[in-house]
Amino acid sequence: MNHILCGLAANPALPSELVDRLITVADDEIAAELAARPGLGRAQVLALAARDEDTAVHLAYEGRLTSADIDPVARPQAALALLDTRAGLPEWARRFATDPVIERRAKLAACPDLPPDVTDTLAADSEIAVVAELALWTTPDMAARLARHPHAEVRRAVAANEATPPAVLEMLLTGDGLPPARRCLVCDRERTPAAHARPHPHPHLHPHPHPPDDLPPGAFCTGSHESTVHDMWRQALSNPATPARAAAGFAGHSSALLRWSLAGRPDLPPEVWGRLADDPLPGIRGDLAENPAVDATHLRALATDVSPDVRRSLAHNPRVPLDLLTSLAGTAKIGATLLPRIAAATPAEVENLAESPDPAVRMLLAARRDLPPGTRDALAADTDAKVLKSIAPHPGLSEARLRDMIDRHGVRVLAKVATNPDASPSLLEYVTRHDPPVPKAFREVARHRNATAPALLACLTDRQARPVAAAHPSLPVPVIVELLSDAEGRVAEAAAANPSLPPAMMLKLTP
């Protein structure tokens, strides 16, 4: 990897003629940086697309290529990318529907708005991975048709498709009205159905089709396609289109994964919430606690949960009663994060929170960035360091208040003060001179728009802040040039990407 050329390729000030030079010598990394440039000309886009398939795919997804720019024979992946963005041609879809490369047919099957004859061809494909990919993304009518497919893997994909009609999803859960599946990926490997290893208690299950040579851990079949059916149920229970009445019946299922799939659903009756609130698995109770549809009665019950993770999840519920949230503030280890309920607090609630005797509550309020000036300044004068850390990045704070925070609490607030968008150049220099130094503060100063040359030079002394500072346009030009030969590649790359690098030096570095 050529760090200097990669940096130049990302440099927003690189002259267009040097972009042309880099295109001619670009390797994969350089091409990726060039393809991400916002100001590429038409000829430059086409030249990049011509150099390799991956770059052409990237440009296609970025909307910089049209169907007239791509030969589907020479650039099949780019053509598929255009089809995936609805910019390809129908005749391309018909061509790829019978492509001998399975992966291309599977990619096509995931594309939207395919012609009906193409979906019919894909639905009859001999490779189950292709049919399952179609089932995962297809239209309601085709999903209903594929729900009757004899292969359980296809039905599993139908269950994950949010376009599948609700009545069909209910049938996949109950089995009513559908013929039994005859095959799955496991028994595909046997001439006749045979017992396989029983699954791990928590098998790795996911919504994408599994190719036949890559079965998920714990997959097994004794003739009834047990692990695939279990995964199909899980996908259906997680699918918001599945009717609540059909999903609710799984609240007492022996499989924790199936019960877990219910905890985040917004449409279940209160009796199901009550059952899940008593579930032995903390993860299920935690997801339930964060579910905004759960009523206040069950939320209050969850507030006394023995698991701190459950109580922390409850604090993140946007509909948690405010009095309940404040009672959790000191025990749930929430941290200085903006909670949805705090963000939605009314002006009167904000005033009450600011006057709370509990510093953990004041810290939660201080995470907002739209506080009235009086409330903001009052929190900035708080005696508790964790409140100050939370309020320090708030816009509008004066330099005097920010300096006062540092003088009173030093290293505990230094890095957070450095993140304040209004921190002045002199304040940032003050941060870098603090004794003892705080490495994280150097990193924050190095990326701050107001950082001055003295502050950035101090940041260069910290290993992690060094590459960040090397890219800052306020760094003196001689220092930028010197950093081009830095022993650490990412520092040299950052220097090459610095827009203050003189054009003459860019020309000298470009082959």
Side-chain angles (χ1 to χ4, degrees):
M1 178 177 180
N2 189 317
H3 290 283
I4 296 296
L5 296 187
C6 279
L8 284 175
N11 194 316
L14 188 70
S16 182
E17 60 271 20
L18 297 188
V19 173
D20 292 335
R21 283 197 192 186
L22 286 182
I23 290 174
T24 64
V25 299
D27 58 16
D28 291 346
E29 290 85 1
I30 298 169
E33 293 289 354
L34 290 170
R37 293 183 66 88
L40 290 175
R42 177 76 176 149
Q44 291 169 333
V45 168
L46 294 178
L48 272 172
R51 66 166 303 281
D52 74 88
E53 182 88 357
D54 289 343
T55 305
V57 168
H58 175 85
L59 292 168
Y61 273 115
E62 290 292 311
R64 297 186 176 192
L65 295 174
T66 69
S67 59
D69 301 326
I70 293 295
D71 177 357
V73 177
R75 289 282 185 260
Q77 297 301 329
L80 285 165
L82 287 179
L83 285 168
D84 198 23
T85 59
R86 296 181 172 88
L89 301 177
E91 54 264 34
W92 291 0
R94 294 184 177 95
R95 178 190 181 280
F96 287 119
T98 57
D99 195 292
V101 179
I102 297 171
E103 291 76 14
R104 293 176 188 167
R105 303 201 305 273
K107 174 64 177 176
L108 175 68
C111 293
D113 301 336
L114 295 173
D117 58 307
V118 172
T119 56
D120 286 341
T121 300
L122 294 170
D125 200 287
S126 60
E127 289 291 337
I128 291 303
V130 175
V131 186
E133 193 69 31
L134 177 67
L136 188 60
W137 304 104
T138 194
T139 60
D141 288 347
M142 179 57 76
R145 173 177 152 188
L146 291 176
R148 307 180 71 84
H149 196 280
H151 203 287
E153 183 70 8
V154 175
R155 299 187 184 197
R156 185 193 73 87
V158 171
N161 187 339
E162 294 186 12
T164 300
V168 174
L169 290 165
E170 185 169 358
M171 286 193 292
L172 290 171
L173 285 176
T174 64
D176 297 339
L178 291 178
R182 296 199 297 270
R183 297 158 49 206
C184 70
L185 294 181
V186 179
C187 61
D188 277 348
R189 296 191 172 191
E190 307 287 343
R191 292 188 178 276
T192 57
H196 299 265
R198 299 294 295 183
H200 186 276
H202 300 289
H204 174 63
L205 303 170
H206 50 84
H208 294 285
H210 310 294
D213 59 346
D214 185 25
L215 292 175
F220 79 105
C221 174
T222 61
S224 298
H225 325 302
E226 290 88 343
S227 64
T228 308
V229 169
H230 179 279
D231 199 4
M232 179 185 71
W233 288 342
R234 187 185 178 202
Q235 301 303 333
L237 293 175
S238 300
N239 193 324
T242 299
R245 64 179 182 275
F250 285 78
H253 199 280
S254 59
S255 168
L257 286 176
L258 297 183
R259 300 196 308 275
W260 207 329
S261 298
L262 297 175
R265 289 188 65 104
D267 54 357
L268 298 178
E271 57 267 24
V272 174
W273 293 335
R275 191 162 190 173
L276 294 175
D278 293 330
D279 198 280
L281 201 66
I284 294 176
R285 304 196 306 275
D287 278 11
L288 182 70
E290 203 166 348
N291 186 335
V294 176
D295 59 32
T297 300
H298 289 95
L299 293 182
R300 291 189 182 279
L302 289 163
T304 61
D305 198 282
V306 296
S307 169
D309 292 335
V310 173
R311 301 196 303 275
R312 190 179 305 115
S313 294
L314 178 59
H316 286 267
N317 191 314
R319 294 184 61 188
V320 61
L322 196 57
D323 67 299
L324 197 58
L325 178 56
T326 57
S327 71
L328 293 168
T331 63
K333 298 181 180 179
I334 300 165
T337 183
L338 180 57
L339 299 174
R341 182 63 183 87
I342 297 293
T346 65
E349 289 172 335
V350 166
E351 186 176 345
N352 289 334
L353 290 168
E355 296 173 354
S356 171
D358 186 350
V361 173
R362 302 197 301 274
M363 176 188 69
L364 294 179
L365 176 64
R368 282 183 59 153
R369 297 293 173 257
D370 59 349
L371 294 172
T375 303
R376 176 201 64 203
D377 291 345
L379 291 171
D382 204 285
T383 58
D384 194 286
K386 61 178 173 284
V387 178
L388 297 183
K389 286 176 64 177
S390 187
I391 197 67
H394 198 297
L397 287 171
S398 67
E399 179 169 353
R401 291 192 183 278
L402 292 171
R403 279 182 181 259
D404 180 63
M405 291 183 193
I406 296 174
D407 293 341
R408 285 190 289 134
H409 293 279
V411 297
R412 299 184 67 183
V413 301
L414 200 66
K416 287 296 185 180
V417 168
T419 67
N420 190 292
D422 299 325
S424 67
S426 61
L427 178 64
L428 295 174
E429 292 179 18
Y430 186 65
V431 168
T432 61
R433 293 195 301 268
H434 191 273
D435 187 21
V438 176
K440 187 175 181 181
F442 284 125
R443 297 195 291 274
E444 298 297 346
V445 171
R447 62 173 59 95
H448 201 288
R449 63 186 178 185
N450 292 337
T452 60
L456 293 168
L457 291 173
C459 292
L460 289 174
T461 62
D462 179 80
R463 184 175 179 274
Q464 293 188 53
R466 190 174 176 83
V468 184
H472 200 291
S474 294
L475 197 65
V477 169
V479 178
I480 299 173
V481 173
E482 181 183 350
L483 290 174
L484 292 170
S485 57
D486 197 272
E488 188 170 351
R490 62 183 185 140
V491 175
E493 183 174 341
N498 195 314
S500 294
L501 187 68
M505 180 57 67
M506 296 182 189
L507 176 63
K508 181 178 179 180
L509 295 170
T510 307

